[in-house]
Amino acid sequence: MTDVHTPEQRSRNMAAIKGKDTKPEMVVRRALYALGYRYRLHRRELPGRPDIVLPKLRTVIFVHGCFWHSHDCRWGKVIPKTRADFWAEKRGDTVERDSRKARALEEQGWRVVNIWECETREPEALPVLLQDRLGRGISIQTPPTLNERVE
């Protein structure tokens, strides 16, 4: 089956796909900051240039798009109707590259955490997920209201 878009339309669509500062990445960054984590972004000196680097914890976080990285969820299992073989190969290469990057980071003593795009769709559950994956026992508390404050 041929592509439903002209080459120019397809090129424009693909060029619009961001590699940094994506919506899921921004959701994760806001949640981390609210939990008290401080981090660095896209460190060039690390293999794979991780999305988020937590230097004090020696941990890196990759925020993966479910489709692009072939996650085992409804969005990751989508098979394009056009050029299915091309997309299968492209996505397979991405998964292999992810594995190589993770191994290289682990060999350097870094812990690798993956957050999937579908996991960012429930922002209220994300802080608990992050704490679980990062293994840090920060309690999630809301600030006391005026009536609860002790003078």
Side-chain angles (χ1 to χ4, degrees):
M1 182 177 225
T2 59
D3 199 347
V4 295
H5 294 297
T6 66
E8 294 79 20
Q9 289 171 317
R10 177 63 58 208
S11 179
R12 203 169 33 252
N13 288 352
M14 295 303 288
I17 296 169
K18 294 167 52 170
K20 293 195 296 191
D21 302 330
T22 62
K23 184 176 178 182
E25 186 181 326
M26 299 303 288
V27 169
V28 171
R29 285 161 46 179
R30 278 192 292 275
L32 284 169
Y33 193 85
L35 288 170
Y37 291 96
R38 298 303 176 254
Y39 49 82
R40 299 288 173 254
L41 302 174
H42 313 289
R43 299 293 296 262
R44 291 175 189 237
E45 70 275 8
L46 294 176
R49 196 186 290 180
D51 297 318
I52 300 167
V53 179
L54 300 161
K56 289 183 181 178
L57 299 178
R58 202 107 175 111
T59 301
V60 299
I61 299 174
F62 288 99
V63 183
H64 289 318
C66 294
F67 173 78
W68 298 104
H69 297 265
S70 301
H71 187 225
D72 190 26
C73 71
R74 65 181 263 203
W75 294 283
K77 290 181 181 179
V78 171
I79 298 172
K81 291 184 170 92
T82 58
R83 302 182 66 202
D85 293 340
F86 166 80
W87 287 108
E89 183 179 344
K90 184 170 184 70
R91 293 167 71 193
D93 291 347
T94 300
V95 171
E96 285 179 32
R97 188 171 52 253
D98 291 343
S99 181
R100 282 195 312 268
K101 290 188 299 189
R103 266 195 316 277
L105 285 160
E106 288 166 352
E107 287 170 2
Q108 292 182 16
W110 291 89
R111 188 166 56 122
V112 178
V113 174
N114 292 317
I115 302 293
W116 294 96
E117 178 183 11
C118 62
E119 295 172 328
T120 66
R121 294 175 189 260
E122 295 181 37
E124 60 281 348
L126 188 58
V128 175
L129 174 82
L130 287 169
Q131 285 183 303
D132 182 53
R133 298 243 175 104
L134 295 173
R136 187 171 169 201
I138 298 176
S139 62
I140 302 171
Q141 297 178 348
T142 55
T145 63
L146 287 175
N147 296 335
E148 296 174 330
R149 291 188 180 152
V150 178
E151 293 182 27

